[in-house]
Amino acid sequence: MDYVLFDRLTELSTRFQPGGRTLMLGRQTFSIQSQYRQLYDQSLERCGIKASRFDFLQKDGYAETLMRKLGFGEMEVMDFSDYEGAQILHDLNIKPPKALEKQFDLIFDGGTIEHVFNTPVALEGVYRMLKPGGRFISANGLNGWYGHGMYQFNPELVWTFWKRACNCNVISCRAVPKDPLVGFDPVEFPDPAHTGVRLKLYNQIGPGRTYLYYEVEKTRQSHLPKYALQSDYETKWHGHDNAGATRFEEARS
């Protein structure tokens, strides 16, 4: 958990406080990056939180203290193995057990799903584990994470899967540079389906490590998808013979 994720979570804590169980995918660590040490306290001050950056550290280097003191509750940890002390052992490549469905008001992924081969199953599993009204917070690689995980992700995934396929609320979807001093600002991504063409991001995102950071909310009207298709292709396919349904055909039915 680096400075820019600390900053995002600090800001989130001013808008959202879960009331029930909370879950962390993979046990995240937290330490102070010395080159940005003053920025931590500036983030806290900007959000009206009367604390020092040191108040969020814990002796073993993990991040539960940070999450608890920001108001996100006593986070449980899910992992494939208990080698880092996870309480819930589960392979995200497969559907979660029924006992975990609709259990969590907050699920945080600080860079785990990019390491999971069966990403669609992992995302559907997160959806199943969220309660209606619960939020999923994700920060995975968008750019520059060469060789780090199995995948890097695009904002189209957020809008296609979470918004149009699952009917969840996308509260935020943005690029966040890992280095806050790199010279590139965070970029908020709109839904490309509004224009029917894919996003043009040239010169807006740097070549260095950049997160795709997003927040989504599951509602009582949300549902798992029958399909998930990229929006600009749906626009191009409209009016032609196709192998399956698109949102345009569904809108007419």
Side-chain angles (χ1 to χ4, degrees):
M1 203 94 74
D2 56 19
Y3 164 71
V4 295
L5 295 187
F6 173 87
D7 181 66
R8 285 286 84 224
L9 290 171
T10 300
E11 192 276 332
L12 174 65
S13 73
T14 68
R15 300 182 281 109
F16 179 69
Q17 298 278 304
R21 294 175 72 185
T22 58
L23 182 68
M24 186 186 301
L25 303 183
R27 195 175 185 193
Q28 304 295 317
T29 59
F30 175 66
S31 60
I32 304 297
Q33 294 176 281
S34 59
Q35 67 268 43
Y36 311 131
R37 56 189 178 277
Q38 293 181 339
L39 297 181
Y40 290 86
D41 289 335
Q42 290 174 18
S43 293
L44 293 167
E45 183 178 1
R46 185 165 58 248
C47 293
I49 298 173
K50 297 184 183 302
S52 161
R53 60 187 182 273
F54 301 110
D55 296 335
F56 299 91
L57 298 172
Q58 64 186 59
K59 289 182 179 179
D60 61 8
Y62 289 106
E64 289 87 356
T65 297
L66 166 68
M67 303 302 274
R68 183 178 66 254
K69 290 196 171 184
L70 286 177
F72 299 131
E74 298 291 340
M75 298 206 82
E76 301 170 61
V77 177
M78 172 180 284
D79 210 333
F80 186 87
S81 167
D82 67 355
Y83 83 110
E84 287 185 306
Q87 302 97 335
I88 301 173
L89 301 188
H90 173 66
D91 180 359
L92 287 167
N93 286 291
I94 61 176
K95 180 179 168 182
K98 283 281 187 184
L100 291 177
E101 291 191 3
K102 298 180 181 178
Q103 290 298 303
F104 298 101
D105 286 327
L106 172 67
I107 298 177
F108 175 68
D109 174 18
T112 293
I113 288 181
E114 63 196 21
H115 301 281
V116 178
F117 175 74
N118 204 336
T119 297
V121 172
L123 293 176
E124 289 188 6
V126 168
Y127 175 92
R128 291 177 185 276
M129 291 188 290
L130 276 178
K131 288 182 183 178
R135 295 196 186 186
F136 177 48
I137 312 301
S138 174
N140 282 268
L142 168 69
N143 191 47
W145 299 82
Y146 315 118
H148 180 78
M150 292 190 181
Y151 304 100
Q152 297 184 92
F153 296 121
N154 280 303
E156 179 73 43
L157 176 68
V158 180
W159 292 107
T160 289
F161 177 75
W162 289 107
K163 175 63 176 177
R164 287 187 297 282
C166 293
N167 197 36
C168 292
N169 293 328
V170 176
I171 297 165
S172 180
C173 179
R174 62 179 64 192
V176 179
K178 181 174 172 62
D179 181 353
L181 306 178
V182 74
F184 286 89
D185 294 327
V187 177
E188 193 74 31
F189 296 126
D191 184 354
H194 291 165
T195 61
V197 297
R198 60 187 65 170
L199 299 175
K200 307 298 184 186
L201 304 174
Y202 306 115
N203 298 320
Q204 296 184 56
I205 297 170
R209 287 188 167 187
T210 305
Y211 293 109
L212 175 64
Y213 173 89
Y214 65 90
E215 306 169 11
V216 296
E217 179 186 45
K218 181 178 179 179
T219 73
R220 296 195 180 278
Q221 290 73 44
S222 299
H223 51 74
L224 282 172
K226 292 182 285 186
Y227 58 85
L229 299 171
Q230 189 168 328
S231 61
D232 64 309
Y233 282 119
E234 285 186 295
T235 300
K236 292 174 182 177
W237 294 331
H238 186 46
H240 295 270
D241 291 336
N242 299 315
T246 71
R247 60 192 165 95
F248 296 108
E249 280 71 37
E250 192 169 81
R252 289 202 305 265
S253 63

